[in-house]
Amino acid sequence: MSLDAILIACVVAAVLALVVGGALGWAASRLPPATDRLVEHIEALLPQTQCAQCGYPGCRPYAEAIARGEVEIDRCPPGGDAPVRALAALFDREPRALDPAYGRPDQGALVAWIDEARCIGCARCLPVCPVDAIVGAPRHMHTVVAERCTGCELCLAPCPVDCIELRPVHSNRHRWHRAA
Amino acid sequence: MTELLLLALGASLVNNFVLTQFLGLCPFVGVSRRFEAAAGMALATLFVLTVASGLSFALWHWVLQPLGLEYLRTLVFILLIAGVVQFTELMVRATSPLLHQALGIFLPLITTNCAVLGVALLNVEGQHGLLESLVYGAGAGAGFGLALLLFAALRERLETCDVPAAFRGAPIALVTAGLMALAFMGFTGLGTR
């Protein structure tokens, strides 16, 4: 084979690579990057309690982290099994149990319950509730609106008399989808 | 016209790329767990196969042959296919990020799907014209998609079946693929090609 033939072959391959690369670059600059839509899909599946138990400030940051592939999908305890299963279906992965490091191991949906005999009405649990499910005022005893409570456990820590505990959701006609 | 029809039929059914020629088995097993993902993969592969076979014909006919560079075809075709696949990935990511996630690594891996290079090389071998190349590519893509979709549907039904423990997962899938290949042998003799 002569030197010319080798030169021609190199030039052809190089020109082709340039053409393909140029076309791809042009296409990439014209098409919109659409990762945001993935984030929205993920966020729609999260329970929106903004409870931060996953280690991220809220549901949106967690959804963004999942979309970037940084974290597993098993860190969202408030929704019980449901969000993990929905996320696993979204990504075509095997469903997995909740990571026990980021909340209680799966035992069905729970809601907070205040022992009203022990409640001193300090109102410290009110501001931490992400869904405003605790009703009460200073020096009056508080109670939990079970319909709204997501079982995020954020009210347990601030209570000075430890009168709040989590109890399983009792299934009824209005809450059948929340029970285990 | 009959000629083209026979060519498409031959590429899609009689000489099905997956089940008769055993090309492109990696995505066939890898992306057949869920029907939706398989449908996306089938469409992406059909697109890549058709475009790549047309472009590779143009490259072969107007560049490689006049310059006497026939020996470069494997290298150049791979480069071309990689470009088309990358373009497809850009398009899928922009139009359907969910599908992009579901296909995952298998989307860029269409580059190494030997069915794509196989079609390009077989087009050269069979001395197909531009139209014939396109029809052959599309037929091969349709055959690949058909096999993939059938296989994915079967595997989804297998999920709910009481499979013996030793056969669960990959083994029963491979047995199923073997039975499908046997079934596709029934197309032998359809048409004259």
Side-chain angles (χ1 to χ4, degrees):
Chain A
M1 192 187 287
S2 68
L3 205 62
D4 280 358
I6 297 175
L7 203 65
I8 290 174
C10 291
V11 168
V12 166
V15 167
L16 184 72
L18 277 178
V19 168
V20 169
L24 279 179
W26 179 80
S29 67
R30 296 300 300 270
L31 290 169
T35 44
D36 286 351
R37 285 172 57 193
L38 178 65
V39 172
E40 270 156 33
H41 273 283
I42 298 171
E43 202 192 354
L45 295 175
L46 295 174
Q48 301 303 320
T49 54
Q50 321 297 344
C51 68
Q53 285 182 87
C54 51
Y56 290 87
C59 294
R60 177 84 188 187
Y62 182 44
E64 282 167 2
I66 294 177
R68 286 194 301 267
E70 284 174 8
V71 286
E72 269 304 332
I73 55 179
D74 55 358
R75 292 193 181 181
C76 186
D81 255 355
V84 183
R85 253 186 276 133
L87 285 170
L90 180 68
F91 291 122
D92 194 21
R93 288 194 208 153
E94 294 294 330
R96 48 195 295 163
L98 280 171
D99 188 342
Y102 293 90
R104 56 172 193 277
D106 175 51
Q107 43 185 261
L110 298 174
V111 289
W113 178 83
I114 296 178
D115 183 353
E116 288 164 9
R118 279 157 63 203
C119 176
I120 55 171
C122 68
R124 284 188 202 169
C125 53
L126 298 188
V128 296
C129 181
V131 290
D132 285 344
I134 305 180
V135 183
R139 276 194 287 280
H140 292 274
M141 71 185 175
H142 309 331
T143 193
V144 175
V145 183
E147 298 290 330
R148 295 219 191 132
C149 176
T150 59
C152 69
E153 301 182 6
L154 289 183
C155 50
L156 300 193
C159 182
V161 291
D162 289 334
C163 69
I164 308 178
E165 60 186 58
L166 286 170
R167 297 193 160 183
V169 176
H170 296 295
S171 173
N172 65 21
R173 199 156 52 82
H174 306 290
R175 286 200 305 231
W176 56 272
H177 57 284
R178 298 259 315 266
Chain B
M1 193 60 219
T2 327
E3 191 74 0
L4 286 180
L5 205 63
L6 279 177
L7 196 65
L9 207 65
S12 56
L13 293 180
V14 184
N15 290 320
N16 186 290
F17 270 75
V18 179
L19 295 171
T20 312
Q21 309 197 31
F22 306 121
L23 294 171
L25 287 176
C26 168
F28 181 66
V29 178
V31 203
S32 52
R33 269 200 334 185
R34 246 170 32 121
F35 192 78
E36 287 84 15
M41 187 67 180
L43 280 179
T45 311
L46 176 64
F47 177 79
V48 169
L49 267 171
T50 313
V51 174
S53 56
L55 286 179
S56 65
F57 168 80
L59 204 63
W60 172 256
H61 195 74
W62 286 305
V63 179
L64 294 187
Q65 262 189 334
L67 291 175
L69 292 174
E70 283 90 346
Y71 62 90
L72 265 187
R73 64 182 171 210
T74 309
L75 180 87
V76 169
F77 286 174
I78 284 285
L79 190 61
L80 194 69
I81 290 165
V84 175
V85 169
Q86 202 57 45
F87 178 70
T88 313
E89 198 195 350
L90 281 175
M91 248 178 35
V92 171
R93 192 164 56 200
T95 53
S96 169
L98 280 183
L99 182 62
H100 187 254
Q101 278 277 343
L103 292 178
I105 186 69
F106 289 102
L107 194 53
L109 274 184
I110 299 179
T111 309
T112 55
N113 184 340
C114 44
V116 184
L117 183 63
V119 166
L121 292 177
L122 284 174
N123 271 333
V124 167
E125 206 109 305
Q127 298 185 333
H128 293 156
L130 178 59
L131 195 57
E132 282 173 316
S133 294
L134 284 174
V135 168
Y136 193 68
F144 177 83
L146 177 71
L148 186 64
L149 286 181
L150 289 175
F151 190 50
L154 279 171
R155 280 187 81 174
E156 278 204 351
R157 302 200 79 171
L158 277 175
E159 290 283 309
T160 56
C161 290
D162 185 21
V163 180
F167 283 102
R168 238 164 254 165
I172 191 70
L174 292 178
V175 169
T176 313
L179 290 176
M180 280 179 68
L182 277 180
F184 265 70
M185 282 177 78
F187 288 118
T188 314
L190 189 70
T192 45
R193 273 169 186 274

